[in-house]
Amino acid sequence: MLSLTNKRILLGITGGIAAYKCAELTRLFSKAGADVRIAMTRSATEFITPLTMQALSGNRVHLELLDTEAEAAMGHIELARWADLVLIAPATADFIARIVHGQANDILSTLVLATSAPIAVAPAMNQAMWSDPGTQSNLQLLRDRSYHIFGPAEGEQACGDVGLGRMLEPAELIEECASLFKSDYLAGRKIVITGGPTREALDPVRFISNHSSGKMAYALAAEAVFAGAKVILISGPVQLQTPDRVTRIDVESADQMLEATLAQIEAADVFIGVAAVADYRPKNAAQEKIKKSTGEIQLTLVKNPDIISEVARLDPRPVVVGFAAETNDILENGRKKLQKKNLDLLFANNATETFNSETISVTAISPTGEKEIPTANKNVVARNILQLIAETLTQKS
Ligand code: C5P
């Protein structure tokens, strides 16, 4: 189940008899390579113990909104941002009604309000409760808000009734979740991405560099592969694993990054410049280690090539997408860069919040307008960014 590998699933368990199936569900998520965190309502703990769920997920279960210990490990807002997908299974009629009204009176309903990840709901209840107009109109409201509704199935119920209202089986829920991550909106596209910092040598052992972690570029590469693209990731030195099925080319300096980019750019549909390329490099890198001297030393720096501008000058050229990590006047500086570098799209963000962070918020700037992508983990934001890029591709072709 490739599409669940490394996915962060927040499983919310509410108080229905089907809660006992969450043990198997969690085991199947882990087997598929997903990282599962669990939040339970108080009534869910009457049906299955938090200890069972902790043992199976390998993580402490979140039970209380105001729990200092749990908040110290991972606070509820952090947990909401961490998730790639929130799955509520089983979802009782009462819990569905509560989230329809935006209540936040326990840990799980609060997480639902706070997350910007997709939310899926697996209803489980008595057949009469399921067909009640109140439940049905609540479900419709959730559908209208783009919630995914998985099931319910028809059959024998714990109370002896027969009808619609059984929670889908764990294996079916896993399939449904996996299909949410499988999307082919970039099928057959070639995407070249630069990521991470560059290193500009001063001598054989020293360099000028920056704090870029490469996480955003790697998240984009992984998501683009899920979306069906062929991805070439030209990477500065970072401490990250190459995502599945991504072709990674390691470089150090801006010059090497430019050379690798131009060698790979032919027939590319999209170029995404995420790398934090050093703007300057030492004019002459010393052949031998620079010796300590008693006084000041002078460094002469020369301008590095602007990789993204070089790509934007090509004819024919791919859709060219830039990033701008700014510390001030974020939108204004972003707009200027879009124009100056002749880009199709630029994602502006706050540099002080972004470097080395798990989460990010960005504003998409195009020649025709702007759109905010709210704070979420870099994988969720990467998907939103790629969907906007796909729209631009469709408009251009
Ligand atoms: O550093 P700056 O804010 O100008 O970066 C904006 C965009 O330009 C980013 O997408 C970055 O990857 C790209 N860039 C580049 N080559 C440079 C400097 C920046 O491709 N030398």
Side-chain angles (χ1 to χ4, degrees), residues 195-213 234-240 248 250-258 275-282 285 301-302 304-305 307:
T198 63
R199 283 182 183 174
E200 310 300 329
L202 283 159
D203 67 16
V205 294
R206 303 185 183 96
F207 52 81
I208 296 174
S209 191
N210 58 62
H211 287 299
S212 170
S213 64
I234 301 167
S235 177
V238 295
Q239 302 292 322
L240 296 171
R248 170 172 163 181
D250 285 318
V251 295
E252 292 224 336
S253 66
D255 270 340
Q256 289 169 358
M257 192 172 267
L258 175 63
V277 185
D279 291 322
Y280 293 90
R281 66 172 181 276
L301 303 177
V302 292
N304 263 332
I307 300 168

Side-chain angles (χ1 to χ4, degrees), residues 194 273-275 277-279 304-308 322-324 326 337 341:
T194 61
V274 199
V277 185
D279 291 322
N304 263 332
D306 194 296
I307 300 168
I308 209 164
F323 274 73
E326 304 289 342
K337 269 183 199 170
K341 300 193 184 212

